[in-house]
Amino acid sequence: MKHLFSPFKIKNLQLKNRIVMPSVASFLVEPDGTMNERAVEHYRLRASGGVGMVITEACAVSPEGVVSAHQARIYDDKFIKGLAGIAEVLRREGAVPAVQIHHGGRQISPKVIGRPPLAPSPLPCPTIRGEVEVLTEDGIHELVKKFGDAAERAVDAGFELMEIHGGHGYLVNQFLSPYSNIREDGYGDSTEGRCRFAVEIIEEIRKRIGNDFPLSFKISAQEFVENGLTVPESIKILKILCSAGLDVVQVSAGNDATPEWISQPMYMERACLADSAAMIKEAIDVPVMAVGRINDPVLAEEILSRGMADLICMGRGLLADPELPKKAKEGRLDEIRLCIACNNCMESIFKRGRVECLVNPSLGREKEMAIIPASSPLKIVVVGGGPAGMNVAWTAAMRGHYVSMYERAGKLGGQIKLGVATEYKRELENLIKFQIVQLKKHKVSVHLETEVTPELIRQIDPDVIILATGSIPIVPKIDGADGPLVVPIDEILSGETPKPMRTVIVGGGPTGCETALFLASHGSEVLLTEMGPRLGVGIESINRRVVFRKLKESGVKIKSSCEVLRILDHGVEINCAENGISVVEAERVMFAVGNRPDETLYNRLSGLGYELHKIGDCMEPRNAKSAILDGAVLGRSL
């Protein structure tokens, strides 16, 4: 990977390689915006993994520009000390310390700031809605000054590059885009007018910190909304901004109305913004950073070798595995814990107020989840080779325990194997591969096609038994549920390419939606029914937007608030709130109404006197993230 690991200069700033961690919210800071040990350790680990530069999460330049109580801040001198700690640890671990400065504009809830949010025009945020306060020219000048103040603090804190957040629907982006800027004064009405706020920020920063300090700009080159920014318009904008004093540009996309382009889910192509970066690189004279679902160093190398960008941003990829650069440089590609673009990180930020990761349970818990060698090695038997079982097995073995794993199927992976069948979730296979590599690396003894019995347990005589036996699909107690039309979902997802048939899927949760999309993509006519009023409950919000769009494009018919009464020989009798009782013709019926724990083996082993643990779905059916976390926590505690 000669391109990815070649050095690069931005002005006089030397990067040891072309990998950049872009600004990714962690929300690990204190509620008052100050840094703490958890945030420092989070950044230290990312830097220690071999990345060339780390750009901190967005730091608010003004109190009314804060998007969350857990956002980092830089609008007062009291924040310099904490930020300096981040800069120092990044530098000490060999990464260039960079900082992003930011104002949320209209994309802020009044509940967070206690007042109407600021905006360039009387247009509310399309997702938050509510009244906004339109910025006067005096207000604009005051904010320009605050960006300059923030820049001085960033230099005082020891950062070596600064980035202005000009994308993702935040304030600077709101001025740049005709989608959100309908002003008719000097700060709107034309490309030059809409650029004026950003130009004045750049000029103010240059006045404060001089011309030698590297300055970056993050732009949403495409917004994918009517009257939104496009690549040709963004090129015009960037030519103006570069003339004002930019040294590097990060090419992103999306705004508050199109969040799937900000944090692209697994249903979208990898490197889906690289073409935008390439077009912009061709048109401007400063280096370009590509971003957008670039989760693999091999893909990153290809982008660089084709001249599409100068630097590669890996945000979620470095959340999933901070050692990705080091492993790639050493040729240990199969040991990289690749991001699968599930967007659990984004969901956790907004729902739990801190970053978490499905594939990396240590994220945000780095100190608590440190691996400590076991004081007394134990003989451990793990039953079940799904995500929970695999994770607990290699984690315990890594600590020095003697671990054997037993799986009655011929392959490892558990329920994840079913998801791999669908082309848009194919990257889940990377998670299985990573876990298998860890099992081999840490010398876990794996026994496939082996049924665990009380007799086998007595023969092994372990110190600890861990059951990760998963769950069993629930079949509703309705007439005909055991009839010839009913086909188990796992039979469809684990077999040959499904035959096109008229299909009714009962249950509109994640499994139902994904199976409907899978069957429709292979030519089936699909009706998806859900007893409740909403479908897709349990699917991360950005993924849900894309899934629903794809369901519509694929012709899947959807009925919510709809109860299935019975399965007939030729179809399904349903009762929907919209139009009452009717019969839907079908050749195949599938249930996706949830699972129940498989407690069969637990009941057989619980009286044998061994230390016995349950993890994952056999304890309570949830999701892969919970299963992996269960395994990680238990594996560290034994």
Side-chain angles (χ1 to χ4, degrees), residues 384-507:
M390 288 192 287
N391 212 82
V392 74
W394 68 259
T395 301
M398 189 177 182
R399 295 182 56 231
H401 295 304
Y402 306 108
V403 184
S404 298
M405 169 179 281
Y406 295 83
E407 167 57 51
R408 64 186 173 190
K411 292 182 179 180
L412 296 173
Q415 294 292 318
I416 295 180
K417 295 199 302 281
L418 303 182
V420 170
T422 59
E423 63 181 34
Y424 40 85
K425 296 185 74 175
R426 194 65 46 80
E427 286 182 66
L428 282 172
E429 193 167 11
N430 292 327
L431 176 55
I432 298 175
K433 290 178 179 178
F434 170 78
Q435 301 281 12
I436 291 173
V437 167
Q438 296 305 306
L439 293 173
K440 292 177 180 177
K441 180 178 179 180
H442 299 294
K443 297 181 172 54
V444 174
S445 178
V446 177
H447 306 266
L448 300 176
E449 298 181 322
T450 304
E451 190 80 30
V452 172
T453 63
E455 293 72 29
L456 179 59
I457 290 298
R458 290 192 187 98
Q459 181 183 334
I460 299 169
D461 193 27
D463 298 302
V464 178
I465 303 169
I466 301 171
L467 298 182
T469 48
S471 57
I472 302 169
I474 294 172
V475 177
K477 294 180 180 179
I478 58 176
D479 289 346
D482 57 351
L485 261 61
V486 178
V487 178
I489 279 183
D490 59 357
E491 183 177 309
I492 292 293
L493 295 181
S494 59
E496 301 291 329
T497 300
K499 181 181 177 181
M501 300 173 73
R502 286 177 296 173
T503 303
V504 173
I505 297 176
V506 183

Side-chain angles (χ1 to χ4, degrees), residues 155-196:
V155 173
D156 290 344
F159 290 103
E160 298 175 13
L161 179 140
M162 194 178 314
E163 181 170 83
I164 301 165
H165 198 329
H168 298 177
Y170 295 118
L171 184 62
V172 178
N173 179 202
Q174 291 161 29
F175 270 90
L176 293 176
S177 174
Y179 171 73
S180 44
N181 185 349
I182 56 173
R183 297 176 75 105
E184 296 179 350
D185 62 2
Y187 289 93
D189 201 37
S190 66
T191 299
E192 291 74 16
R194 287 183 278 106
C195 285
R196 184 176 168 187

